[in-house]
Amino acid sequence: MSSTPASTPAPAAPLAPSQPQPPSPSPAPLTSLHDRAALAERFGRDPGLHLFELGDLDEPFWSHTAWYTTSADGPVALLYAVGDVPTLIGLARPAQADHLAGLLRAMRPVLPRRLLSHLTDGGAEALAPDYRAEHRTAMLRMALTDPAALAPYLGGASDAHPSRPGTQPGPGTEVGPGTEVGPGTELGPVERLGPADLADLRALFAAGYPGNWFDERMLTTGPYVGIRDAGGRLLSTAGVHVHSAAQRVAVIGNVTTHPEARGRGLAAACTARLCEVLADSVDHIGLNVRADHPTALALYRRLGFTTVAAYEEAVLTAC
């Protein structure tokens, strides 16, 4: 029987020469910025988000700052080197979150081993695993968007919510300067404070806000106001962390009421009066508040503040 040999497969066609693949995009180079006017223009596009950065363009803060970016129009990060632990501020809108993450990764070689960070969503993760984040706190940046809401609290909140001297107001009633709240608690007007009031402020902070960020220079770089009782004891105050007439911005801070005087509307009266004072020199007023502090949030919303952005404070330590 004859047989037919099995067919042999045809040789495969030669492979086409491999096409060169485009190179992976390399990270944009880190650039240090030094032009104050250019920085002011950049941050001025979104002043509510960048109040601290705008304020730090002024002396004496400017001399302690370093500014970094990786793009002409992308986020800018601020490294503020004052005190034992420098502060890193990197805030961006959600549309630029990836650009901020890239910037922070590029900054790792220039960052100190330990720092306090104020970063919008994903910022701390961008620095991992080189940095470990601890003491993470959810924060909100708020801005005064309805100044008319301050009116009921100006001139003493008792003007808008009368309370007869010698009587205790009902729940939720705002009581302002000049109103007696219980026996022996006659209050003075909201007054301006200055360097001569430093000892009184420190005593109030020790009682009502221990561990707050306060530097006595703040009494000369921006206004502070307060309310005293009839004996002269300082019961409540509101001041500023940042005040720049040149950049037209201010950040309210150190709003404090003595534990024995809370619930009487003193913080509202001080904050409203401070905003009135600031309105003569700034166009943008903001503040930072813990996202888990419902009492403070309710106060600031009543005074006409709305949320600008959420961010996180943390202590970052190199691993």
Side-chain angles (χ1 to χ4, degrees):
M1 177 185 295
S2 62
S3 62
T4 305
S7 60
T8 303
L15 294 174
S18 60
Q19 298 297 317
Q21 298 297 313
S24 300
S26 58
L30 184 66
T31 302
S32 179
L33 304 174
H34 306 279
D35 186 331
R36 267 196 274 198
L39 286 165
E41 191 279 329
R42 202 155 168 169
F43 293 131
R45 301 171 200 165
D46 196 350
L49 184 64
H50 298 299
L51 293 169
F52 273 92
E53 295 95 318
L54 285 164
D56 285 342
L57 297 176
D58 290 356
E59 291 292 3
F61 313 108
W62 169 256
S63 299
H64 303 284
T65 61
W67 310 83
Y68 298 96
T69 192
T70 53
S71 63
D73 292 311
V76 173
L78 161 62
L79 190 59
Y80 182 65
V82 168
D84 296 333
V85 181
T87 299
L88 171 66
I89 299 179
L91 306 179
R93 294 295 183 179
Q96 290 197 315
D98 290 343
H99 295 285
L100 176 62
L103 167 59
L104 294 171
R105 285 191 290 268
M107 287 181 65
R108 284 178 290 190
V110 302
L111 293 177
R113 291 190 54 80
R114 186 172 174 83
L115 63 153
L116 174 65
S117 66
H118 297 204
L119 303 174
T120 41
D121 188 42
E125 286 69 24
L127 292 171
D130 299 291
Y131 281 83
R132 179 179 67 256
E134 300 173 298
H135 308 294
R136 303 177 77 159
T137 304
M139 302 290 294
L140 296 177
R141 165 67 51 78
M142 304 185 79
L144 181 61
T145 55
D146 183 14
L150 299 170
Y153 305 94
L154 293 171
S158 56
D159 295 345
H161 305 279
S163 178
R164 293 190 304 276
T167 64
Q168 187 70 21
T173 301
E174 294 290 345
V175 181
T179 300
E180 184 177 305
V181 186
T185 55
E186 181 72 23
L187 303 174
V190 183
E191 63 182 65
R192 290 289 295 269
L193 303 177
D197 303 294
L198 178 61
D200 291 342
L201 277 168
R202 291 199 186 282
L204 175 58
F205 292 145
Y209 196 177
N212 67 317
W213 177 42
F214 174 72
D215 186 313
E216 62 186 79
R217 291 177 298 176
M218 294 177 182
L219 292 170
T220 59
T221 58
Y224 268 69
V225 301
I227 297 173
R228 299 180 183 274
D229 63 15
R233 182 175 61 151
L234 189 63
L235 295 181
S236 188
T237 189
V240 295
H241 285 155
V242 169
H243 177 225
S244 171
Q247 303 299 333
R248 308 289 298 178
V249 298
V251 179
I252 291 174
N254 291 320
V255 178
T256 308
T257 299
H258 195 285
E260 297 174 5
R262 289 175 181 166
R264 303 175 185 179
L266 306 190
C270 283
T271 305
R273 174 57 181 150
L274 179 62
C275 289
E276 184 180 44
V277 171
L278 289 169
D280 291 335
S281 59
V282 307
D283 299 320
H284 304 282
I285 300 173
L287 54 85
N288 298 334
V289 60
R290 289 177 62 120
D292 62 354
H293 197 324
T295 302
L297 288 170
L299 165 65
Y300 297 133
R301 286 168 180 154
R302 289 200 307 272
L303 292 173
F305 287 81
T306 55
T307 299
V308 172
Y311 71 99
E312 181 184 71
E313 286 187 5
V315 175
L316 302 181
T317 305
C319 298

